[in-house]
Amino acid sequence: MSDKPIYNVHSMVEHLKMAEMRKKHPDWLWNRSDTHVLLGVPTSHEGYKTAVEPGNSFSPGHRTYGVSTWLYADGKLHAPEELPIEQLNWSFLEGHVPILRSVWQAGGFSVESRLFTDGNPDTNDIKTYLTVELGNEGGAAVTGILYVTIRSFGAAGGAISRLAMDGTSLKLNGERVMVAEEPPARFGAVSYADTGQDIYAYLAKGQFPENAQVEDASTWASGALAYDVTLEAGEKRSLSFVCQVHGDNWMVKRMVDLPAACPDVGSVAEQFAADWQAKSRIKLQLPDRRFQEAMLAQLTHLYMFTVDAEPRITPVSYPLWWLRDGAYVVVALDKGGYGEFAERALRAAAHRDAFGGFGAEGDGPANGIWMISEHYLLTRSKPYLQDMYPHIVRKAELLREMRHTTVPVKRHNEFRTPEMLLRAESDILCMASRDGLIMGRMDHHQPILWINGYAYLALKRAAICAEALGIEGTWFAEEAEDLKQAIRRKAEQIFGDNPRDPNSVFWPTGWGEKDDARIVEGMERFWNEERFPNGRHNPEPHWTYFEAGQAHNLLLMGRRDRAWVSIEHFLNLHTAPGLYTYHEGCDDENSSLQWQRSRGWDEIRYITPHGWTAAELFLLLRDCLAREEEETLVIGSGIPESWMSEPFSVSGLPTYFGSASFSYAPEGRKLRVTVERLPQGGIRSELPGDVEVVVERG
């Protein structure tokens, strides 16, 4: 037995190693670990998503290495890792094209970096492109040294045992992983095993390591490419680098090869931006740029998160399709113009009825019908609906069984979070029904109105789909109405007792009536006690998607003013400032334990970016502009009075009536609406004040 290796948690969890190293070397400049975003080629494997921290310090793939850009000037080393986050000015190109731009100051230099990930998910040939532009905005010449540092830790780093430079190619663990536009003036590498130091210890003192290549049994090797820079007043200089994502992986290197020379990154970026804009169907020209950027940025994050034909809440924390959150994501992408992906996802998952990180949950079958029917309503494709109808029927029958069962209903689901793999309740869909209601499980409890509200939505949608196919004699509508009455009887007793109630009663389930005194009282109580106590906004601290849902329900109640309290919050405060991202929780709850296997994001305070919040926020902002109410298209439910003195326009918005566009002119207060199929119920303006509506068919 003595010759067998002993495996302990240290061999699995890099975060414990990082904690020991942080304690041993508090003087090192460590990764920020305060927030991050993920760049990814849509539909690529989650392992190929590039993690990025403020200042565009990044890791090209999960568990690879950390890349940072530092500048030595005025006798001091400047690095984004040590700057306050508000000094790093982070943004997407044009607010939503996923070329990350970060601008910061280093002595007399301005430093602007641009970062994006592009490639082919079918072959895993994915690259992350970095351009660093140094500028001199002063009146005298400035001199400094640009360092592109390579370390085992970073945004999502991993072990480095060998490091060397060969001309313009960086070799890591024996493989070419990065190519530079220009060869560095110098390259230096540090073996931690030999020196007990990181590259930072040298660069911070204005020194440079002598070794140009190292081997390091400790796996904490580090190094830097050095470029001497002198800029006259007003002069700029840019340098570009390309990283092969997972370029040292033993399989990847057999499939793809890093080019011998760095391509023209500017041209690649230009084409990348043009391609992304071409995919973006929705075009906005709005008075509030925050609203415009936030709405489109949610689609950008969600589309980059996708893996094959599956949505992701967030790729590393939750590397699985979680049905409830994923349903919101698929609906958001569908309504955001990414219908082709949505249909692929729906066809791939239609046979599965209840699945996700917590196992079989009670709203699962209804979530499936919701997103399947949304795609039909957006496309009106009868062939698609005919293919999906058997799945709708099966899910509806399961909901009926759950509503009338006298024994627990179970469903096995093999893909769950590590904690839930052996939890006793993970296969329980619902308990025996009571009062004509499903006693389903969701998020470790039984929110009765949430579960049954979704079941009502699903049964109602099943009836709509059957009617669209000309199928008569179904039981869906009758069951939906009977369930609705049971929900209302229960709501008289409990509405508002569960925080899920105010964010699902009207949107998206539709079981409630806006003039129901019990519902109005419950919504009012929640607002006064939870969301806006003592006349002051109290943002949801953990489950940010719930506040977005609550705002959506307030919008449908006609409380535009209250909805905008939360909208303002989302527009102004982002987990990654400038990139419109949001978080979940206060630690790494429900973790997949994948961040813990990387040398990065080691001081976890929450899960971010979060796809459910992104989806909820997009759907809220979308419905502020235009929404469907049965057979009516409603324009402007959430547009504020402050916009009405300026012109604005929306085009290419997917709706149940085809692509819709509208423009508003303050002169004469005229609203022009163009839609592919004129709604039977007409087009109604809910813009503030009197507006003349001119309707045209597209």
Side-chain angles (χ1 to χ4, degrees), residues 510-550:
W511 65 264
E513 297 292 339
K514 299 171 190 176
D515 58 356
D516 186 315
R518 181 67 179 88
I519 293 174
V520 171
E521 185 275 330
M523 295 292 285
E524 192 74 14
R525 176 158 46 90
F526 182 85
W527 178 260
N528 291 325
E529 295 179 2
E530 298 292 336
R531 189 57 61 235
F532 210 73
N534 302 313
R536 189 170 184 175
H537 182 217
N538 178 40
E540 167 56 51
H542 304 310
W543 327 118
T544 53
Y545 33 83
F546 288 146
E547 179 164 357
Q550 292 150 15

Side-chain angles (χ1 to χ4, degrees), residues 311 321 325-335 341-343 345-346 371:
W321 183 338
D325 304 46
Y328 279 88
V329 172
V330 170
V331 169
L333 288 170
D334 218 352
K335 288 186 170 180
F341 169 79
E343 183 164 332
L346 292 168
M371 57 183 173

Side-chain angles (χ1 to χ4, degrees), residues 6 10 26 105 128 134 158 165 199 208 268 300 339 358 476 496 502 537 565-566 590 697:
I6 298 175
H10 283 72
Q105 291 296 128
T128 297
L134 304 178
M165 195 80 192
I199 186 69
F208 202 72
V268 176
T300 296
F358 288 166
F476 307 133
H537 182 217
V565 169
S566 294
N590 308 323
R697 184 167 182 171

Side-chain angles (χ1 to χ4, degrees), residues 184-438:
R186 296 170 300 285
F187 176 77
V190 179
S191 166
Y192 178 77
D194 293 341
T195 67
Q197 287 296 345
D198 175 68
I199 186 69
Y200 173 75
Y202 294 82
L203 305 186
K205 298 175 183 177
Q207 301 172 356
F208 202 72
E210 295 180 357
N211 292 329
Q213 61 180 31
V214 294
E215 294 194 11
D216 188 347
S218 77
T219 75
W220 290 81
S222 57
L225 292 73
Y227 294 88
D228 300 318
V229 182
T230 298
L231 298 179
E232 299 296 331
E235 190 178 3
K236 294 182 178 181
R237 182 184 176 188
S238 68
L239 292 158
S240 294
F241 308 84
V242 179
C243 298
Q244 185 75 49
V245 175
H246 285 294
D248 66 330
N249 179 272
W250 69 282
M251 286 296 287
V252 172
K253 68 186 181 183
R254 297 182 184 188
M255 297 170 62
V256 298
D257 192 21
L258 190 65
C262 184
D264 181 348
V265 175
S267 296
V268 176
E270 189 174 308
Q271 186 61 54
F272 174 80
D275 292 344
W276 195 272
Q277 289 283 38
K279 296 173 188 173
S280 303
R281 286 181 54 187
I282 300 173
K283 307 298 179 187
L284 306 175
Q285 292 294 328
L286 306 177
D288 191 334
R289 186 163 183 84
R290 301 169 307 157
F291 188 109
Q292 178 172 313
E293 291 182 350
M295 181 171 164
L296 298 180
Q298 304 317 306
L299 296 174
T300 296
H301 291 296
L302 293 175
Y303 194 39
M304 287 195 297
F305 287 177
T306 58
V307 175
D308 192 51
E310 298 182 359
R312 287 289 181 268
I313 308 171
T314 190
V316 180
S317 298
Y318 298 126
L320 75 168
W321 183 338
W322 202 309
L323 178 53
R324 174 174 47 257
D325 304 46
Y328 279 88
V329 172
V330 170
V331 169
L333 288 170
D334 218 352
K335 288 186 170 180
Y338 295 93
E340 183 179 346
F341 169 79
E343 183 164 332
R344 284 183 57 217
L346 292 168
R347 288 184 178 276
H351 65 286
R352 303 170 66 193
D353 295 331
F355 58 92
F358 288 166
E361 294 187 86
D363 52 348
N367 293 150
I369 293 177
W370 175 40
M371 57 183 173
I372 289 171
S373 61
E374 280 289 331
H375 188 67
Y376 166 69
L377 291 173
L378 290 166
T379 63
R380 305 292 171 157
S381 170
K382 293 290 181 66
Y384 159 81
L385 187 57
Q386 287 170 344
D387 290 346
M388 303 301 276
Y389 187 72
H391 299 293
I392 293 174
V393 173
R394 187 187 66 255
K395 295 175 195 295
E397 288 174 342
L398 177 55
L399 289 171
R400 182 169 61 174
E401 177 189 352
M402 293 164 64
R403 187 179 172 221
H404 299 288
T405 185
T406 58
V407 296
V409 177
K410 303 201 308 180
R411 285 294 185 276
H412 174 65
N413 170 33
E414 65 272 31
F415 300 109
R416 304 188 295 279
T417 64
E419 180 192 2
M420 291 299 296
L421 286 172
L422 301 180
R423 282 277 290 254
E425 76 272 24
S426 65
D427 65 345
I428 300 174
L429 194 58
C430 68
M431 302 300 289
S433 63
R434 292 202 303 266
D435 304 321
L437 296 168
I438 298 169

Side-chain angles (χ1 to χ4, degrees), residues 646-673:
E646 300 182 54
F648 53 83
S649 66
V650 174
S651 64
L653 190 71
T655 73
Y656 295 171
F657 315 107
S659 179
S661 301
F662 64 87
S663 62
Y664 168 79
E667 302 82 8
R669 295 178 65 88
K670 184 173 290 188
L671 177 69
R672 293 187 178 275
V673 184

